[in-house]
Amino acid sequence: MPELPEVQTVINILNKSPAIDKKIIGTRVFIKKILKNTSVNKFDIFLKKEKIISFNRYGKYIIIKLTNNKNLFVHLRMEGKLFCTKDIDKTNVKHLCIQIMLENGFNLFYYDTRMFGTFHIFVGNSNDFYSIKSMGPDAMLSKKFNVDYLKNIFKHTKKNIKTIILDQTKISGIGNIYADEILFACKINPFSKANALDIKNIKNFISVTTSIFKKAILYKGTTIFSYMSSANHTGNYQKYLNVYGRNNEPCNICRKKIVYRKINGRGTYFCEKCQKLL
């Protein structure tokens, strides 16, 4: 699943693409269920004749800002890919869900193998979009992602720390891969109770999260399964993963074998020696 660094990488590429400042001349919807709060006809009318101003992000949402205070919210979910190209990817045509045609001959193509992704239309300030309003602060963009906020969130729960940091209503943008990597770098066992973290732990958690996300974005995200930031371009951060996907491999720090467990149904990788149970 694309997480914050992967979505930000897609945003960075699209903001440099031929889609910027171009008028939409039409749409084609091949998989109707991708549209979550509109019909095929209303979707086309909503987008047509509007220009694409910019691509932004909140959590794992891509926000396509249009003229006339319109926004298109895209969530890639498990396998979604959003590319700006002239031609359809013939090797992936059966997974093409939506095509947004631009005046310059380019298109925004949305491909999705599992077809779990979502498109939502919205008029107004993007922060007022109903899904955004229910989400926690973005782990990179929001000033609310701070010690006071996390201290308050953590102290009122007996849930383990991994469950809490994966909860998008508490913190936006952290997914399964980076949760494991962040907790390893913080030397915190993922089964630790969130209310056991002290101020020092919380400050370190914020610092580590920011650092890992910045590095992951620098390397254009992590490609474990099928993530691609643009047509034929994958990420490279998987080369720097310390625990995720490394079951029974030696820890890079202590050489003890990485273990794999499930926490609330989510596969979890960690080092029992380096990551202390608080």
Side-chain angles (χ1 to χ4, degrees):
M1 174 189 289
E3 302 180 27
L4 188 154
E6 290 73 47
V7 176
Q8 186 62 54
T9 299
V10 172
I11 294 297
N12 293 345
I13 290 170
L14 289 174
N15 274 324
K16 296 178 181 178
S17 77
I20 296 297
D21 201 35
K22 296 300 182 292
K23 186 181 294 184
I24 297 169
I25 60 173
T27 65
R28 291 174 181 164
V29 177
F30 303 99
I31 305 297
K32 295 180 182 179
K33 70 175 185 177
I34 299 294
L35 303 180
K36 292 303 178 184
N37 66 341
T38 185
S39 66
V40 171
N41 185 54
K42 288 180 180 178
F43 180 74
D44 186 72
I45 293 171
F46 183 87
L47 295 181
K48 196 176 288 184
K49 298 182 180 180
E50 305 297 348
K51 282 188 176 182
I52 295 176
I53 298 173
S54 63
F55 295 86
N56 304 296
R57 181 190 61 74
Y58 193 94
K60 301 175 189 178
Y61 271 101
I62 294 172
I63 307 168
I64 305 176
K65 184 174 178 58
L66 308 170
T67 46
N68 290 310
N69 208 25
K70 293 181 178 181
N71 299 277
L72 175 60
F73 287 80
V74 179
H75 202 301
L76 304 176
R77 297 297 174 186
M78 296 292 292
E79 301 279 348
K81 301 173 184 65
L82 188 64
F83 301 153
C84 178
T85 60
K86 281 193 172 182
D87 302 314
I88 292 173
D89 179 0
K90 293 181 180 179
T91 65
N92 201 27
V93 66
K94 69 178 181 179
H95 299 131
L96 177 60
C97 299
I98 292 177
Q99 177 183 2
I100 299 174
M101 297 170 279
L102 306 175
E103 62 180 330
N104 59 352
F106 280 81
N107 304 269
L108 286 178
F109 290 114
Y110 178 74
Y111 302 91
D112 196 334
T113 306
R114 298 194 184 186
M115 301 177 187
F116 288 163
T118 61
F119 275 54
H120 310 251
I121 59 175
F122 182 76
V123 179
N125 189 314
S126 61
N127 290 329
D128 293 328
F129 177 57
Y130 54 89
S131 290
I132 299 297
K133 290 175 73 174
S134 69
M135 292 166 65
D138 184 283
M140 281 199 76
L141 299 176
S142 178
K143 292 181 180 179
K144 292 182 180 179
F145 182 65
N146 57 38
V147 173
D148 290 339
Y149 171 79
L150 292 178
K151 179 183 176 183
N152 186 58
I153 290 296
F154 292 164
K155 75 177 182 180
H156 289 113
T157 181
K158 294 181 180 179
K159 292 181 179 180
N160 62 67
I161 185 62
K162 181 169 181 182
T163 296
I164 293 300
I165 66 175
L166 285 179
D167 184 346
Q168 301 299 299
T169 68
K170 302 293 190 294
I171 304 170
S172 296
I174 301 176
N176 205 39
I177 295 173
Y178 294 101
D180 287 355
E181 292 300 308
I182 290 166
L183 292 176
F184 175 79
C186 289
K187 300 182 179 180
I188 297 174
N189 187 295
F191 285 92
S192 298
K193 301 300 181 183
N195 60 9
L197 273 71
D198 58 21
I199 294 297
K200 183 179 179 180
N201 294 141
I202 294 172
K203 286 181 177 179
N204 191 44
F205 172 79
I206 293 171
S207 175
V208 164
T209 300
T210 301
S211 177
I212 286 178
F213 278 167
K214 284 182 177 179
K215 185 174 180 180
I217 292 168
L218 178 66
Y219 287 97
K220 296 181 168 49
T222 300
T223 298
I224 296 292
F225 303 108
S226 65
Y227 160 73
M228 298 175 71
S229 57
S230 59
N232 301 315
H233 289 84
T234 57
N236 289 297
Y237 190 68
Q238 62 273 13
K239 299 174 184 177
Y240 302 94
L241 297 178
N242 283 299
V243 288
Y244 187 87
R246 299 188 63 237
N247 186 34
N248 286 324
E249 294 182 25
C251 171
N252 292 330
I253 304 298
C254 71
R255 309 311 291 173
K256 184 179 176 68
K257 286 185 178 181
I258 300 299
V259 298
Y260 173 82
R261 301 285 186 272
K262 283 202 171 183
I263 297 179
N264 290 339
R266 305 300 297 273
T268 301
Y269 300 86
F270 62 103
C271 175
E272 292 178 306
K273 183 174 181 180
C274 291
Q275 295 174 254
K276 304 301 182 184
L277 189 65
L278 301 180

